[in-house]
Amino acid sequence: MQSKIWLSSPHMGGNERKYVNEAFDTNWVAPLGPNVNGFEQDIARFLEGNHGQEVHVAALSSGTAAIHLGLILLDVKAGDEVICQSMTFSASANPILYQGATPVFVDSEPDTWNMSPEFLEAAIKDRIAKGKKPKAIIPVHLYGMPAKIRKIITIAQQYDIPVLEDAAEALGSHINRQYCGTFCEIAALSFNGNKIITTSGGGALVAKNAAIAEKARFLSTQARDAAPHYQHSHIGYNYRMSNICAGIGRGQMEVLQERVQQRRANYDWYTNVLSETEGIKFLPEPEGYYSNRWLTTVLVKHSSRTREDLRTALDAENIEARPLWKPMHCQPIFKDAPFYGDGTSEILFRDGLCLPSGSNLTGEEKDRVLKQIKKALQ
Ligand SMILES: *Cc1c(COP(=O)(O)O)cnc(C)c1O
């Protein structure tokens, strides 16, 4: 059997060990320390870029923790409803359940595969008509493609509902130079092992308001009041990022722009070499949109072959490809949740496939993938 080709695997830059060694040398082996502070600064400066939107970052143990704390900071409580993009990874929606709230799922639109602004508005109106105004809205920039976030925010503001941006897959993506993760009061990032950069496991809450980021740090370190003894007046969480992981993150931030370029080059390569192949459709960027192309995704629209035909053919050659994320409203755990849409995300799931997209893919590996795709679809 030939060596495995992964969908997306960790890709170290080189300086990660330097920062991790510093943590050992200075004995900052704890969920605080210079790397944690440095990593937060690095992310904030990156996201601000030249755009001028100031942001503040709290480094956490995971992206899921960031979404959970984000919902807490938006005061989501038991019995509340939270609108969430249906086409996403389950970690966007699970924190709604952690709070004892109910998710309301909204379908995708075809231009970005993310939350449909039209169905979002229909959902808000119907939930209000049924007696409950949603407490928050969670759109996602899936696979790195920015959602129609400005339209979503405009609608949310009309009804005075806060938006929590799930930018876990979209670090480095932007719309007209404003980075994903800076559009809303609160956003979540992930540094899990498969993401565009990784801290092995980790995440961050991004906030426009410094006090919100500070509150996230407070809640993530067990919510200890200022007192010499352990004193608590809030529910605390153990969600802070460790100084070791943050050291990996600092090294990764040095190569983030390079990783975005490499992922985008993968996408360009796939579109180029498959331009003449029947039955493969890509997702181009709308005007002004810039995707980090975390994963190259395709739709299989072939006269005689299905997505599963292609996936299993790749799998037989030890090449990992994964169906597009199964929508949340189709998941057993969320089967009773309300859903607003026209089935767009179900068709994306039926026909969609994520191709190997690592920034560390070699030319040889890409040629193996291409050969199998062509063979499977001929
Ligand atoms: C990865 C991911 C998360 C969760 O991040 P973790 O760091 O793995 O907890 C949330 N939302 C989306 C869309 C993701 O892809």
Side-chain angles (χ1 to χ4, degrees):
M1 180 66 91
Q2 294 200 72
S3 63
K4 175 115 179 169
I5 298 179
W6 299 96
L7 194 63
S8 176
S9 70
H11 185 185
M12 293 299 107
N15 280 339
E16 292 84 1
R17 276 176 206 261
K18 184 189 85 181
Y19 293 107
V20 171
N21 284 340
E22 270 171 29
F24 275 84
D25 293 344
T26 54
N27 205 30
W28 282 105
V29 184
L32 79 168
N35 283 336
V36 177
N37 303 337
F39 186 42
E40 288 178 344
Q41 289 296 316
D42 293 345
I43 298 166
R45 294 299 86 78
F46 176 88
L47 289 177
E48 286 167 354
N50 301 323
H51 186 268
Q53 173 59 63
E54 187 182 317
V55 290
H56 304 270
V57 174
L60 302 173
S61 53
S62 71
T64 311
I67 295 169
H68 188 199
L69 290 186
L71 292 178
I72 292 166
L73 290 164
L74 295 176
D75 198 33
V76 171
K77 295 200 182 81
D80 287 338
E81 291 188 349
V82 175
I83 293 182
C84 184
Q85 180 165 322
S86 186
M87 179 93 186
T88 187
F89 181 61
S90 64
S92 306
N94 278 331
I96 301 169
L97 300 186
Y98 301 168
Q99 284 307 94
T102 303
V104 172
F105 292 112
V106 166
D107 213 346
S108 295
E109 45 76 19
D111 300 339
T112 71
W113 298 355
N114 291 308
M115 182 180 278
S116 153
E118 285 72 32
F119 285 117
L120 167 64
E121 183 151 30
I124 295 172
K125 283 184 172 155
D126 192 55
R127 296 329 288 174
I128 292 174
K130 288 192 161 70
K132 209 171 250 180
K133 186 167 107 169
K135 206 68 185 282
I137 301 167
I138 309 178
V140 187
H141 308 292
L142 209 64
Y143 310 117
M145 180 63 78
K148 293 188 173 170
I149 195 74
R150 292 193 206 280
K151 276 195 179 163
I152 289 168
I153 291 170
T154 304
I155 293 165
Q157 282 172 345
Q158 271 168 28
Y159 296 89
D160 196 24
I161 304 171
V163 184
L164 196 169
E165 201 183 342
D166 182 346
E169 300 180 0
L171 183 57
S173 301
H174 60 75
I175 302 173
N176 295 320
R177 309 247 139 246
Q178 181 172 1
Y179 279 109
C180 292
T182 69
F183 288 98
C184 304
E185 287 311 312
I186 298 180
L189 300 174
S190 169
F191 310 108
N192 201 1
N194 57 347
K195 297 286 158 58
I196 191 156
I197 61 165
T198 182
T199 58
S200 70
L205 183 144
V206 183
K208 289 188 184 181
N209 183 323
I212 298 225
E214 192 47 43
K215 188 93 187 278
R217 292 185 198 104
F218 168 77
L219 294 174
S220 74
T221 49
Q222 308 286 18
R224 289 158 56 177
D225 294 344
H229 54 277
Y230 283 142
Q231 171 86 15
H232 304 276
S233 12
H234 295 269
I235 301 177
Y237 300 85
N238 187 0
Y239 278 172
R240 195 73 163 127
M241 179 177 278
S242 97
N243 197 54
I244 303 294
C245 293
I248 304 174
R250 293 191 79 183
Q252 289 273 277
M253 283 306 289
E254 293 179 6
V255 293
L256 173 56
Q257 284 297 15
E258 201 179 316
R259 297 293 175 262
V260 172
Q261 296 312 321
Q262 287 158 329
R263 300 257 176 177
R264 286 177 61 83
N266 285 339
Y267 175 85
D268 291 342
W269 179 81
Y270 276 119
T271 52
N272 196 25
V273 295
L274 291 169
S275 60
E276 309 283 298
T277 305
E278 186 207 330
I280 290 274
K281 294 262 174 299
F282 292 91
L283 181 68
E285 292 163 324
E287 178 73 29
Y289 278 51
Y290 186 94
S291 170
N292 67 9
R293 296 292 184 189
W294 171 54
L295 296 183
T296 291
T297 53
V298 297
L299 297 179
V300 180
K301 303 279 188 190
H302 193 276
S303 52
S304 60
R305 304 294 153 79
T306 65
R307 187 278 310 283
E308 271 309 273
D309 291 336
L310 178 55
R311 191 191 64 77
T312 50
L314 292 168
D315 187 54
E317 295 298 321
N318 216 13
I319 297 168
E320 185 186 25
R322 194 186 298 272
L324 292 193
W325 301 177
K326 183 176 181 177
M328 291 303 116
H329 74 275
C330 304
Q331 298 285 358
I333 176 105
F334 294 120
K335 66 180 188 327
D336 296 327
F339 169 70
Y340 295 84
D342 61 4
T344 296
S345 60
E346 286 162 56
I347 293 168
L348 292 171
F349 172 59
R350 185 193 67 195
D351 296 340
L353 192 67
C354 305
L355 297 175
S357 303
S359 47
N360 48 6
L361 279 180
T362 65
E364 214 174 300
E365 288 174 323
K366 286 201 255 190
D367 288 339
R368 256 178 72 197
V369 176
L370 176 62
K371 198 170 125 210
Q372 290 312 320
I373 295 175
K374 287 197 160 161
K375 205 167 124 193
L377 295 181
Q378 81 195 356

